Amino acid sequence: MTFTANIVFFFTFLIAIIVPITSQPCNSYRFSKNIKYAACEDLSVLESSLHWNYRPSSGVVDVAFNKANAKDSSWVAWAINPSSKGMVGSQSFVAVHKNGTIKAYTSPITSYATMLQEGNLSFSVYSLSTSYTNGGIIIFATFQLPPNKTVVNHAWQEGLVSEDGTLKAHSFSRSNLQSYGTIDFISGKVSKSNEDVNSRTMLRNVHGILNTVSWGIMMPIGVMMGRYLKVVDGLGSTWFHLHRACQSLAFLIGIVGFGTGLYIGNHSGVHHAPHRCVGITLMCLASAQVLVAVCLRPKKDHKYRIFWNIFHYIVGYATIALAIWNILKGFDILNVRNVWKNSYVGIIISLATIAVILEVITWIWICNKKRVKNSQDHVVIGEQQA
């Protein structure tokens, strides 16, 4: 056998050994204390598997939910919903791993705003424990299935734990959105949900794009038009029409983006309170700005015009600041690739740089105009005195 043949044989031998170890299918997993389960299934996402024993005579189920490669300071959960397909009504088993300690508890999900608080489930739970082994979290549970219920909807999820011990919301990546389906404890059949996840993902992306373009890009550009074009000689009222057109278009697109956000929240049942509250605040500020500008805007020589200007500036700049913060928060919620968030940050930095340059040029322009005007006035006064 040649040297090359020996090398090929050696690597083939390594692959034959390593692949089965790294793939670790559910039926090859060995639990501690020689616990054995009659059925198992590798779940489709989140590197998870489910193992169970079902006792038809009593309707009792022994379950082991295994989440591989769990992150430090994280939580995992597996739940069944015996009554419906939605999130509300799910009965969950939760494991929380933080600072080297791990605990398990039950949590009934009674609302979409759940924080997975500890509580009793709608059926009897006879035992519950958890372990952290080789970077994986395993939840062991024995519970009583509801009468005449062997096919149930189930879901599994993972998330991070904050420094104060509260559970953070799970990611909105494609894997996290696909982590649910149905399970038949008798036949052992585990199937994915038939709901179209792609449509929900697309709707979230549309929501993000519309709000980024309208609130996060067009609004600042409209403000820059209103501030820097009006000092240019010869434009007349053109600057005002450009400013109003840009802001009006951004507001209309923002309404559509706001509507899609409300639709997503109401139908997915997942609410991010800060992001949602800031979004509602933005819509209220922008609506007030439009209403006051259309109905209550005094003329330039009116004595109350200064108060309208103060309101207009404060509301406008507050809207821009809140919009930028909320868009960055939205990127974090969507868990998009950093290239999109970095691209938007780059756009904002570019607009801010342009604004600083234009601010300097504008002040130089105004100061020169005042100096020329003062010189002309002195000449005219001198001629009149002469």
mmCIF file with all atom_site columns, all heavy atoms in Angstrom, residues 211 215 219 251 258 275-288 315 318-324 326-327:
data_model
loop_
_atom_site.group_PDB
_atom_site.id
_atom_site.type_symbol
_atom_site.label_atom_id
_atom_site.label_alt_id
_atom_site.label_comp_id
_atom_site.label_asym_id
_atom_site.label_entity_id
_atom_site.label_seq_id
_atom_site.pdbx_PDB_ins_code
_atom_site.Cartn_x
_atom_site.Cartn_y
_atom_site.Cartn_z
_atom_site.occupancy
_atom_site.B_iso_or_equiv
_atom_site.pdbx_formal_charge
_atom_site.auth_seq_id
_atom_site.auth_comp_id
_atom_site.auth_asym_id
_atom_site.auth_atom_id
_atom_site.pdbx_PDB_model_num
ATOM 1   N N   . ASN A 1 211 ? -40.624 50.826 7.733  1.00 0.00 ? 211 ASN A N   1
ATOM 2   C CA  . ASN A 1 211 ? -40.333 51.756 8.823  1.00 0.00 ? 211 ASN A CA  1
ATOM 3   C C   . ASN A 1 211 ? -38.915 52.306 8.751  1.00 0.00 ? 211 ASN A C   1
ATOM 4   O O   . ASN A 1 211 ? -38.679 53.462 9.095  1.00 0.00 ? 211 ASN A O   1
ATOM 5   C CB  . ASN A 1 211 ? -40.561 51.058 10.167 1.00 0.00 ? 211 ASN A CB  1
ATOM 6   C CG  . ASN A 1 211 ? -42.031 50.901 10.489 1.00 0.00 ? 211 ASN A CG  1
ATOM 7   O OD1 . ASN A 1 211 ? -42.718 51.864 10.801 1.00 0.00 ? 211 ASN A OD1 1
ATOM 8   N ND2 . ASN A 1 211 ? -42.518 49.682 10.396 1.00 0.00 ? 211 ASN A ND2 1
ATOM 9   N N   . TRP A 1 215 ? -39.488 56.262 8.520  1.00 0.00 ? 215 TRP A N   1
ATOM 10  C CA  . TRP A 1 215 ? -39.115 56.961 9.743  1.00 0.00 ? 215 TRP A CA  1
ATOM 11  C C   . TRP A 1 215 ? -37.604 57.187 9.861  1.00 0.00 ? 215 TRP A C   1
ATOM 12  O O   . TRP A 1 215 ? -37.168 58.222 10.375 1.00 0.00 ? 215 TRP A O   1
ATOM 13  C CB  . TRP A 1 215 ? -39.589 56.170 10.966 1.00 0.00 ? 215 TRP A CB  1
ATOM 14  C CG  . TRP A 1 215 ? -41.060 55.949 11.038 1.00 0.00 ? 215 TRP A CG  1
ATOM 15  C CD1 . TRP A 1 215 ? -41.726 54.820 10.688 1.00 0.00 ? 215 TRP A CD1 1
ATOM 16  C CD2 . TRP A 1 215 ? -42.054 56.883 11.470 1.00 0.00 ? 215 TRP A CD2 1
ATOM 17  N NE1 . TRP A 1 215 ? -43.068 54.982 10.882 1.00 0.00 ? 215 TRP A NE1 1
ATOM 18  C CE2 . TRP A 1 215 ? -43.300 56.250 11.366 1.00 0.00 ? 215 TRP A CE2 1
ATOM 19  C CE3 . TRP A 1 215 ? -42.009 58.184 11.947 1.00 0.00 ? 215 TRP A CE3 1
ATOM 20  C CZ2 . TRP A 1 215 ? -44.494 56.865 11.716 1.00 0.00 ? 215 TRP A CZ2 1
ATOM 21  C CZ3 . TRP A 1 215 ? -43.192 58.815 12.298 1.00 0.00 ? 215 TRP A CZ3 1
ATOM 22  C CH2 . TRP A 1 215 ? -44.413 58.155 12.184 1.00 0.00 ? 215 TRP A CH2 1
ATOM 23  N N   . MET A 1 219 ? -37.539 60.715 6.791  1.00 0.00 ? 219 MET A N   1
ATOM 24  C CA  . MET A 1 219 ? -37.809 61.793 7.758  1.00 0.00 ? 219 MET A CA  1
ATOM 25  C C   . MET A 1 219 ? -36.577 62.668 7.997  1.00 0.00 ? 219 MET A C   1
ATOM 26  O O   . MET A 1 219 ? -36.663 63.902 7.931  1.00 0.00 ? 219 MET A O   1
ATOM 27  C CB  . MET A 1 219 ? -38.315 61.197 9.074  1.00 0.00 ? 219 MET A CB  1
ATOM 28  C CG  . MET A 1 219 ? -39.750 60.701 9.040  1.00 0.00 ? 219 MET A CG  1
ATOM 29  S SD  . MET A 1 219 ? -40.940 62.042 9.156  1.00 0.00 ? 219 MET A SD  1
ATOM 30  C CE  . MET A 1 219 ? -42.461 61.109 9.293  1.00 0.00 ? 219 MET A CE  1
ATOM 31  N N   . PHE A 1 251 ? -44.538 59.969 5.999  1.00 0.00 ? 251 PHE A N   1
ATOM 32  C CA  . PHE A 1 251 ? -45.622 59.735 6.946  1.00 0.00 ? 251 PHE A CA  1
ATOM 33  C C   . PHE A 1 251 ? -46.594 58.681 6.423  1.00 0.00 ? 251 PHE A C   1
ATOM 34  O O   . PHE A 1 251 ? -47.033 57.791 7.173  1.00 0.00 ? 251 PHE A O   1
ATOM 35  C CB  . PHE A 1 251 ? -46.349 61.042 7.231  1.00 0.00 ? 251 PHE A CB  1
ATOM 36  C CG  . PHE A 1 251 ? -47.483 60.918 8.201  1.00 0.00 ? 251 PHE A CG  1
ATOM 37  C CD1 . PHE A 1 251 ? -47.249 60.535 9.515  1.00 0.00 ? 251 PHE A CD1 1
ATOM 38  C CD2 . PHE A 1 251 ? -48.781 61.177 7.807  1.00 0.00 ? 251 PHE A CD2 1
ATOM 39  C CE1 . PHE A 1 251 ? -48.304 60.411 10.414 1.00 0.00 ? 251 PHE A CE1 1
ATOM 40  C CE2 . PHE A 1 251 ? -49.838 61.060 8.696  1.00 0.00 ? 251 PHE A CE2 1
ATOM 41  C CZ  . PHE A 1 251 ? -49.596 60.687 10.009 1.00 0.00 ? 251 PHE A CZ  1
ATOM 42  N N   . PHE A 1 258 ? -46.544 51.023 10.292 1.00 0.00 ? 258 PHE A N   1
ATOM 43  C CA  . PHE A 1 258 ? -47.153 50.944 11.624 1.00 0.00 ? 258 PHE A CA  1
ATOM 44  C C   . PHE A 1 258 ? -48.292 49.937 11.639 1.00 0.00 ? 258 PHE A C   1
ATOM 45  O O   . PHE A 1 258 ? -48.438 49.148 12.577 1.00 0.00 ? 258 PHE A O   1
ATOM 46  C CB  . PHE A 1 258 ? -47.645 52.329 12.029 1.00 0.00 ? 258 PHE A CB  1
ATOM 47  C CG  . PHE A 1 258 ? -48.338 52.368 13.364 1.00 0.00 ? 258 PHE A CG  1
ATOM 48  C CD1 . PHE A 1 258 ? -47.611 52.321 14.535 1.00 0.00 ? 258 PHE A CD1 1
ATOM 49  C CD2 . PHE A 1 258 ? -49.719 52.473 13.441 1.00 0.00 ? 258 PHE A CD2 1
ATOM 50  C CE1 . PHE A 1 258 ? -48.239 52.366 15.769 1.00 0.00 ? 258 PHE A CE1 1
ATOM 51  C CE2 . PHE A 1 258 ? -50.364 52.512 14.670 1.00 0.00 ? 258 PHE A CE2 1
ATOM 52  C CZ  . PHE A 1 258 ? -49.620 52.459 15.841 1.00 0.00 ? 258 PHE A CZ  1
ATOM 53  N N   . HIS A 1 275 ? -40.492 48.567 22.103 1.00 0.00 ? 275 HIS A N   1
ATOM 54  C CA  . HIS A 1 275 ? -40.582 48.812 20.665 1.00 0.00 ? 275 HIS A CA  1
ATOM 55  C C   . HIS A 1 275 ? -41.998 49.233 20.280 1.00 0.00 ? 275 HIS A C   1
ATOM 56  O O   . HIS A 1 275 ? -42.190 50.171 19.490 1.00 0.00 ? 275 HIS A O   1
ATOM 57  C CB  . HIS A 1 275 ? -40.173 47.539 19.923 1.00 0.00 ? 275 HIS A CB  1
ATOM 58  C CG  . HIS A 1 275 ? -40.165 47.675 18.427 1.00 0.00 ? 275 HIS A CG  1
ATOM 59  N ND1 . HIS A 1 275 ? -39.244 48.442 17.753 1.00 0.00 ? 275 HIS A ND1 1
ATOM 60  C CD2 . HIS A 1 275 ? -40.983 47.137 17.476 1.00 0.00 ? 275 HIS A CD2 1
ATOM 61  C CE1 . HIS A 1 275 ? -39.487 48.383 16.455 1.00 0.00 ? 275 HIS A CE1 1
ATOM 62  N NE2 . HIS A 1 275 ? -40.532 47.604 16.268 1.00 0.00 ? 275 HIS A NE2 1
ATOM 63  N N   . ARG A 1 276 ? -42.972 48.559 20.833 1.00 0.00 ? 276 ARG A N   1
ATOM 64  C CA  . ARG A 1 276 ? -44.369 48.853 20.522 1.00 0.00 ? 276 ARG A CA  1
ATOM 65  C C   . ARG A 1 276 ? -44.776 50.230 21.037 1.00 0.00 ? 276 ARG A C   1
ATOM 66  O O   . ARG A 1 276 ? -45.425 51.011 20.324 1.00 0.00 ? 276 ARG A O   1
ATOM 67  C CB  . ARG A 1 276 ? -45.252 47.764 21.132 1.00 0.00 ? 276 ARG A CB  1
ATOM 68  C CG  . ARG A 1 276 ? -46.734 47.845 20.765 1.00 0.00 ? 276 ARG A CG  1
ATOM 69  C CD  . ARG A 1 276 ? -47.505 46.762 21.508 1.00 0.00 ? 276 ARG A CD  1
ATOM 70  N NE  . ARG A 1 276 ? -48.905 46.742 21.167 1.00 0.00 ? 276 ARG A NE  1
ATOM 71  C CZ  . ARG A 1 276 ? -49.434 46.001 20.217 1.00 0.00 ? 276 ARG A CZ  1
ATOM 72  N NH1 . ARG A 1 276 ? -48.665 45.205 19.504 1.00 0.00 ? 276 ARG A NH1 1
ATOM 73  N NH2 . ARG A 1 276 ? -50.736 46.044 19.960 1.00 0.00 ? 276 ARG A NH2 1
ATOM 74  N N   . CYS A 1 277 ? -44.400 50.555 22.291 1.00 0.00 ? 277 CYS A N   1
ATOM 75  C CA  . CYS A 1 277 ? -44.782 51.844 22.879 1.00 0.00 ? 277 CYS A CA  1
ATOM 76  C C   . CYS A 1 277 ? -44.138 53.014 22.135 1.00 0.00 ? 277 CYS A C   1
ATOM 77  O O   . CYS A 1 277 ? -44.786 54.040 21.894 1.00 0.00 ? 277 CYS A O   1
ATOM 78  C CB  . CYS A 1 277 ? -44.389 51.873 24.350 1.00 0.00 ? 277 CYS A CB  1
ATOM 79  S SG  . CYS A 1 277 ? -45.349 50.749 25.383 1.00 0.00 ? 277 CYS A SG  1
ATOM 80  N N   . VAL A 1 278 ? -42.866 52.864 21.769 1.00 0.00 ? 278 VAL A N   1
ATOM 81  C CA  . VAL A 1 278 ? -42.191 53.927 21.015 1.00 0.00 ? 278 VAL A CA  1
ATOM 82  C C   . VAL A 1 278 ? -42.829 54.082 19.642 1.00 0.00 ? 278 VAL A C   1
ATOM 83  O O   . VAL A 1 278 ? -42.984 55.205 19.146 1.00 0.00 ? 278 VAL A O   1
ATOM 84  C CB  . VAL A 1 278 ? -40.684 53.636 20.900 1.00 0.00 ? 278 VAL A CB  1
ATOM 85  C CG1 . VAL A 1 278 ? -40.011 54.634 19.965 1.00 0.00 ? 278 VAL A CG1 1
ATOM 86  C CG2 . VAL A 1 278 ? -40.023 53.698 22.271 1.00 0.00 ? 278 VAL A CG2 1
ATOM 87  N N   . GLY A 1 279 ? -43.212 52.974 19.015 1.00 0.00 ? 279 GLY A N   1
ATOM 88  C CA  . GLY A 1 279 ? -43.882 53.061 17.718 1.00 0.00 ? 279 GLY A CA  1
ATOM 89  C C   . GLY A 1 279 ? -45.196 53.821 17.798 1.00 0.00 ? 279 GLY A C   1
ATOM 90  O O   . GLY A 1 279 ? -45.497 54.663 16.932 1.00 0.00 ? 279 GLY A O   1
ATOM 91  N N   . ILE A 1 280 ? -45.985 53.556 18.835 1.00 0.00 ? 280 ILE A N   1
ATOM 92  C CA  . ILE A 1 280 ? -47.244 54.281 19.018 1.00 0.00 ? 280 ILE A CA  1
ATOM 93  C C   . ILE A 1 280 ? -46.968 55.755 19.300 1.00 0.00 ? 280 ILE A C   1
ATOM 94  O O   . ILE A 1 280 ? -47.667 56.650 18.789 1.00 0.00 ? 280 ILE A O   1
ATOM 95  C CB  . ILE A 1 280 ? -48.049 53.639 20.159 1.00 0.00 ? 280 ILE A CB  1
ATOM 96  C CG1 . ILE A 1 280 ? -48.473 52.211 19.769 1.00 0.00 ? 280 ILE A CG1 1
ATOM 97  C CG2 . ILE A 1 280 ? -49.271 54.479 20.506 1.00 0.00 ? 280 ILE A CG2 1
ATOM 98  C CD1 . ILE A 1 280 ? -49.128 51.429 20.887 1.00 0.00 ? 280 ILE A CD1 1
ATOM 99  N N   . THR A 1 281 ? -45.940 56.021 20.102 1.00 0.00 ? 281 THR A N   1
ATOM 100 C CA  . THR A 1 281 ? -45.572 57.415 20.385 1.00 0.00 ? 281 THR A CA  1
ATOM 101 C C   . THR A 1 281 ? -45.170 58.146 19.111 1.00 0.00 ? 281 THR A C   1
ATOM 102 O O   . THR A 1 281 ? -45.555 59.315 18.899 1.00 0.00 ? 281 THR A O   1
ATOM 103 C CB  . THR A 1 281 ? -44.418 57.459 21.399 1.00 0.00 ? 281 THR A CB  1
ATOM 104 O OG1 . THR A 1 281 ? -44.803 56.770 22.591 1.00 0.00 ? 281 THR A OG1 1
ATOM 105 C CG2 . THR A 1 281 ? -44.049 58.892 21.736 1.00 0.00 ? 281 THR A CG2 1
ATOM 106 N N   . LEU A 1 282 ? -44.402 57.491 18.262 1.00 0.00 ? 282 LEU A N   1
ATOM 107 C CA  . LEU A 1 282 ? -43.997 58.105 16.992 1.00 0.00 ? 282 LEU A CA  1
ATOM 108 C C   . LEU A 1 282 ? -45.208 58.451 16.137 1.00 0.00 ? 282 LEU A C   1
ATOM 109 O O   . LEU A 1 282 ? -45.279 59.546 15.542 1.00 0.00 ? 282 LEU A O   1
ATOM 110 C CB  . LEU A 1 282 ? -43.077 57.147 16.225 1.00 0.00 ? 282 LEU A CB  1
ATOM 111 C CG  . LEU A 1 282 ? -41.634 57.036 16.702 1.00 0.00 ? 282 LEU A CG  1
ATOM 112 C CD1 . LEU A 1 282 ? -40.922 55.914 15.977 1.00 0.00 ? 282 LEU A CD1 1
ATOM 113 C CD2 . LEU A 1 282 ? -40.901 58.348 16.487 1.00 0.00 ? 282 LEU A CD2 1
ATOM 114 N N   . MET A 1 283 ? -46.158 57.531 16.054 1.00 0.00 ? 283 MET A N   1
ATOM 115 C CA  . MET A 1 283 ? -47.341 57.792 15.245 1.00 0.00 ? 283 MET A CA  1
ATOM 116 C C   . MET A 1 283 ? -48.149 58.966 15.811 1.00 0.00 ? 283 MET A C   1
ATOM 117 O O   . MET A 1 283 ? -48.665 59.812 15.060 1.00 0.00 ? 283 MET A O   1
ATOM 118 C CB  . MET A 1 283 ? -48.211 56.529 15.179 1.00 0.00 ? 283 MET A CB  1
ATOM 119 C CG  . MET A 1 283 ? -49.450 56.661 14.297 1.00 0.00 ? 283 MET A CG  1
ATOM 120 S SD  . MET A 1 283 ? -49.092 57.204 12.610 1.00 0.00 ? 283 MET A SD  1
ATOM 121 C CE  . MET A 1 283 ? -48.048 55.857 12.042 1.00 0.00 ? 283 MET A CE  1
ATOM 122 N N   . CYS A 1 284 ? -48.233 59.057 17.150 1.00 0.00 ? 284 CYS A N   1
ATOM 123 C CA  . CYS A 1 284 ? -48.955 60.178 17.761 1.00 0.00 ? 284 CYS A CA  1
ATOM 124 C C   . CYS A 1 284 ? -48.247 61.508 17.504 1.00 0.00 ? 284 CYS A C   1
ATOM 125 O O   . CYS A 1 284 ? -48.894 62.522 17.170 1.00 0.00 ? 284 CYS A O   1
ATOM 126 C CB  . CYS A 1 284 ? -49.093 59.936 19.263 1.00 0.00 ? 284 CYS A CB  1
ATOM 127 S SG  . CYS A 1 284 ? -50.159 58.542 19.702 1.00 0.00 ? 284 CYS A SG  1
ATOM 128 N N   . LEU A 1 285 ? -46.920 61.526 17.643 1.00 0.00 ? 285 LEU A N   1
ATOM 129 C CA  . LEU A 1 285 ? -46.162 62.763 17.400 1.00 0.00 ? 285 LEU A CA  1
ATOM 130 C C   . LEU A 1 285 ? -46.274 63.203 15.949 1.00 0.00 ? 285 LEU A C   1
ATOM 131 O O   . LEU A 1 285 ? -46.479 64.394 15.662 1.00 0.00 ? 285 LEU A O   1
ATOM 132 C CB  . LEU A 1 285 ? -44.688 62.550 17.775 1.00 0.00 ? 285 LEU A CB  1
ATOM 133 C CG  . LEU A 1 285 ? -44.350 62.434 19.258 1.00 0.00 ? 285 LEU A CG  1
ATOM 134 C CD1 . LEU A 1 285 ? -42.866 62.123 19.442 1.00 0.00 ? 285 LEU A CD1 1
ATOM 135 C CD2 . LEU A 1 285 ? -44.721 63.711 19.996 1.00 0.00 ? 285 LEU A CD2 1
ATOM 136 N N   . ALA A 1 286 ? -46.133 62.249 15.021 1.00 0.00 ? 286 ALA A N   1
ATOM 137 C CA  . ALA A 1 286 ? -46.206 62.604 13.606 1.00 0.00 ? 286 ALA A CA  1
ATOM 138 C C   . ALA A 1 286 ? -47.600 63.082 13.238 1.00 0.00 ? 286 ALA A C   1
ATOM 139 O O   . ALA A 1 286 ? -47.754 64.037 12.453 1.00 0.00 ? 286 ALA A O   1
ATOM 140 C CB  . ALA A 1 286 ? -45.813 61.392 12.754 1.00 0.00 ? 286 ALA A CB  1
ATOM 141 N N   . SER A 1 287 ? -48.641 62.447 13.793 1.00 0.00 ? 287 SER A N   1
ATOM 142 C CA  . SER A 1 287 ? -50.013 62.872 13.506 1.00 0.00 ? 287 SER A CA  1
ATOM 143 C C   . SER A 1 287 ? -50.267 64.270 14.051 1.00 0.00 ? 287 SER A C   1
ATOM 144 O O   . SER A 1 287 ? -50.904 65.108 13.388 1.00 0.00 ? 287 SER A O   1
ATOM 145 C CB  . SER A 1 287 ? -51.008 61.881 14.123 1.00 0.00 ? 287 SER A CB  1
ATOM 146 O OG  . SER A 1 287 ? -50.828 60.580 13.581 1.00 0.00 ? 287 SER A OG  1
ATOM 147 N N   . ALA A 1 288 ? -49.764 64.549 15.263 1.00 0.00 ? 288 ALA A N   1
ATOM 148 C CA  . ALA A 1 288 ? -49.915 65.882 15.831 1.00 0.00 ? 288 ALA A CA  1
ATOM 149 C C   . ALA A 1 288 ? -49.175 66.925 14.994 1.00 0.00 ? 288 ALA A C   1
ATOM 150 O O   . ALA A 1 288 ? -49.672 68.043 14.774 1.00 0.00 ? 288 ALA A O   1
ATOM 151 C CB  . ALA A 1 288 ? -49.399 65.889 17.266 1.00 0.00 ? 288 ALA A CB  1
ATOM 152 N N   . VAL A 1 315 ? -40.983 68.716 18.323 1.00 0.00 ? 315 VAL A N   1
ATOM 153 C CA  . VAL A 1 315 ? -41.657 67.480 17.915 1.00 0.00 ? 315 VAL A CA  1
ATOM 154 C C   . VAL A 1 315 ? -40.903 66.807 16.768 1.00 0.00 ? 315 VAL A C   1
ATOM 155 O O   . VAL A 1 315 ? -40.742 65.581 16.742 1.00 0.00 ? 315 VAL A O   1
ATOM 156 C CB  . VAL A 1 315 ? -43.117 67.762 17.511 1.00 0.00 ? 315 VAL A CB  1
ATOM 157 C CG1 . VAL A 1 315 ? -43.778 66.516 16.920 1.00 0.00 ? 315 VAL A CG1 1
ATOM 158 C CG2 . VAL A 1 315 ? -43.906 68.234 18.717 1.00 0.00 ? 315 VAL A CG2 1
ATOM 159 N N   . ALA A 1 318 ? -37.562 65.294 18.083 1.00 0.00 ? 318 ALA A N   1
ATOM 160 C CA  . ALA A 1 318 ? -37.874 64.172 18.970 1.00 0.00 ? 318 ALA A CA  1
ATOM 161 C C   . ALA A 1 318 ? -38.326 62.954 18.171 1.00 0.00 ? 318 ALA A C   1
ATOM 162 O O   . ALA A 1 318 ? -37.965 61.811 18.488 1.00 0.00 ? 318 ALA A O   1
ATOM 163 C CB  . ALA A 1 318 ? -38.955 64.579 19.973 1.00 0.00 ? 318 ALA A CB  1
ATOM 164 N N   . THR A 1 319 ? -39.091 63.196 17.122 1.00 0.00 ? 319 THR A N   1
ATOM 165 C CA  . THR A 1 319 ? -39.542 62.094 16.265 1.00 0.00 ? 319 THR A CA  1
ATOM 166 C C   . THR A 1 319 ? -38.362 61.409 15.587 1.00 0.00 ? 319 THR A C   1
ATOM 167 O O   . THR A 1 319 ? -38.297 60.176 15.518 1.00 0.00 ? 319 THR A O   1
ATOM 168 C CB  . THR A 1 319 ? -40.527 62.617 15.205 1.00 0.00 ? 319 THR A CB  1
ATOM 169 O OG1 . THR A 1 319 ? -41.650 63.216 15.856 1.00 0.00 ? 319 THR A OG1 1
ATOM 170 C CG2 . THR A 1 319 ? -41.014 61.489 14.298 1.00 0.00 ? 319 THR A CG2 1
ATOM 171 N N   . ILE A 1 320 ? -37.422 62.194 15.093 1.00 0.00 ? 320 ILE A N   1
ATOM 172 C CA  . ILE A 1 320 ? -36.248 61.619 14.432 1.00 0.00 ? 320 ILE A CA  1
ATOM 173 C C   . ILE A 1 320 ? -35.429 60.778 15.408 1.00 0.00 ? 320 ILE A C   1
ATOM 174 O O   . ILE A 1 320 ? -35.021 59.645 15.102 1.00 0.00 ? 320 ILE A O   1
ATOM 175 C CB  . ILE A 1 320 ? -35.369 62.739 13.832 1.00 0.00 ? 320 ILE A CB  1
ATOM 176 C CG1 . ILE A 1 320 ? -36.146 63.523 12.774 1.00 0.00 ? 320 ILE A CG1 1
ATOM 177 C CG2 . ILE A 1 320 ? -34.098 62.143 13.225 1.00 0.00 ? 320 ILE A CG2 1
ATOM 178 C CD1 . ILE A 1 320 ? -36.634 62.708 11.616 1.00 0.00 ? 320 ILE A CD1 1
ATOM 179 N N   . ALA A 1 321 ? -35.196 61.308 16.609 1.00 0.00 ? 321 ALA A N   1
ATOM 180 C CA  . ALA A 1 321 ? -34.391 60.585 17.597 1.00 0.00 ? 321 ALA A CA  1
ATOM 181 C C   . ALA A 1 321 ? -35.062 59.278 18.013 1.00 0.00 ? 321 ALA A C   1
ATOM 182 O O   . ALA A 1 321 ? -34.420 58.213 18.066 1.00 0.00 ? 321 ALA A O   1
ATOM 183 C CB  . ALA A 1 321 ? -34.146 61.470 18.818 1.00 0.00 ? 321 ALA A CB  1
ATOM 184 N N   . LEU A 1 322 ? -36.362 59.327 18.293 1.00 0.00 ? 322 LEU A N   1
ATOM 185 C CA  . LEU A 1 322 ? -37.088 58.118 18.690 1.00 0.00 ? 322 LEU A CA  1
ATOM 186 C C   . LEU A 1 322 ? -37.147 57.109 17.548 1.00 0.00 ? 322 LEU A C   1
ATOM 187 O O   . LEU A 1 322 ? -37.062 55.889 17.776 1.00 0.00 ? 322 LEU A O   1
ATOM 188 C CB  . LEU A 1 322 ? -38.500 58.485 19.142 1.00 0.00 ? 322 LEU A CB  1
ATOM 189 C CG  . LEU A 1 322 ? -38.629 59.185 20.500 1.00 0.00 ? 322 LEU A CG  1
ATOM 190 C CD1 . LEU A 1 322 ? -40.068 59.595 20.743 1.00 0.00 ? 322 LEU A CD1 1
ATOM 191 C CD2 . LEU A 1 322 ? -38.147 58.280 21.620 1.00 0.00 ? 322 LEU A CD2 1
ATOM 192 N N   . ALA A 1 323 ? -37.306 57.606 16.322 1.00 0.00 ? 323 ALA A N   1
ATOM 193 C CA  . ALA A 1 323 ? -37.384 56.704 15.167 1.00 0.00 ? 323 ALA A CA  1
ATOM 194 C C   . ALA A 1 323 ? -36.084 55.930 14.983 1.00 0.00 ? 323 ALA A C   1
ATOM 195 O O   . ALA A 1 323 ? -36.107 54.715 14.753 1.00 0.00 ? 323 ALA A O   1
ATOM 196 C CB  . ALA A 1 323 ? -37.720 57.498 13.915 1.00 0.00 ? 323 ALA A CB  1
ATOM 197 N N   . ILE A 1 324 ? -34.962 56.611 15.092 1.00 0.00 ? 324 ILE A N   1
ATOM 198 C CA  . ILE A 1 324 ? -33.670 55.931 14.929 1.00 0.00 ? 324 ILE A CA  1
ATOM 199 C C   . ILE A 1 324 ? -33.489 54.873 16.019 1.00 0.00 ? 324 ILE A C   1
ATOM 200 O O   . ILE A 1 324 ? -33.074 53.745 15.753 1.00 0.00 ? 324 ILE A O   1
ATOM 201 C CB  . ILE A 1 324 ? -32.526 56.956 14.949 1.00 0.00 ? 324 ILE A CB  1
ATOM 202 C CG1 . ILE A 1 324 ? -32.613 57.860 13.704 1.00 0.00 ? 324 ILE A CG1 1
ATOM 203 C CG2 . ILE A 1 324 ? -31.166 56.268 14.999 1.00 0.00 ? 324 ILE A CG2 1
ATOM 204 C CD1 . ILE A 1 324 ? -31.624 59.004 13.701 1.00 0.00 ? 324 ILE A CD1 1
ATOM 205 N N   . ASN A 1 326 ? -35.823 53.287 17.705 1.00 0.00 ? 326 ASN A N   1
ATOM 206 C CA  . ASN A 1 326 ? -36.775 52.197 17.524 1.00 0.00 ? 326 ASN A CA  1
ATOM 207 C C   . ASN A 1 326 ? -36.395 51.286 16.364 1.00 0.00 ? 326 ASN A C   1
ATOM 208 O O   . ASN A 1 326 ? -36.633 50.069 16.405 1.00 0.00 ? 326 ASN A O   1
ATOM 209 C CB  . ASN A 1 326 ? -38.180 52.759 17.309 1.00 0.00 ? 326 ASN A CB  1
ATOM 210 C CG  . ASN A 1 326 ? -39.237 51.881 17.940 1.00 0.00 ? 326 ASN A CG  1
ATOM 211 O OD1 . ASN A 1 326 ? -38.986 51.220 18.947 1.00 0.00 ? 326 ASN A OD1 1
ATOM 212 N ND2 . ASN A 1 326 ? -40.421 51.859 17.371 1.00 0.00 ? 326 ASN A ND2 1
ATOM 213 N N   . ILE A 1 327 ? -35.816 51.858 15.327 1.00 0.00 ? 327 ILE A N   1
ATOM 214 C CA  . ILE A 1 327 ? -35.381 51.044 14.190 1.00 0.00 ? 327 ILE A CA  1
ATOM 215 C C   . ILE A 1 327 ? -34.227 50.139 14.595 1.00 0.00 ? 327 ILE A C   1
ATOM 216 O O   . ILE A 1 327 ? -34.194 48.950 14.246 1.00 0.00 ? 327 ILE A O   1
ATOM 217 C CB  . ILE A 1 327 ? -34.997 51.953 13.008 1.00 0.00 ? 327 ILE A CB  1
ATOM 218 C CG1 . ILE A 1 327 ? -36.259 52.581 12.401 1.00 0.00 ? 327 ILE A CG1 1
ATOM 219 C CG2 . ILE A 1 327 ? -34.238 51.170 11.934 1.00 0.00 ? 327 ILE A CG2 1
ATOM 220 C CD1 . ILE A 1 327 ? -35.989 53.690 11.449 1.00 0.00 ? 327 ILE A CD1 1
#
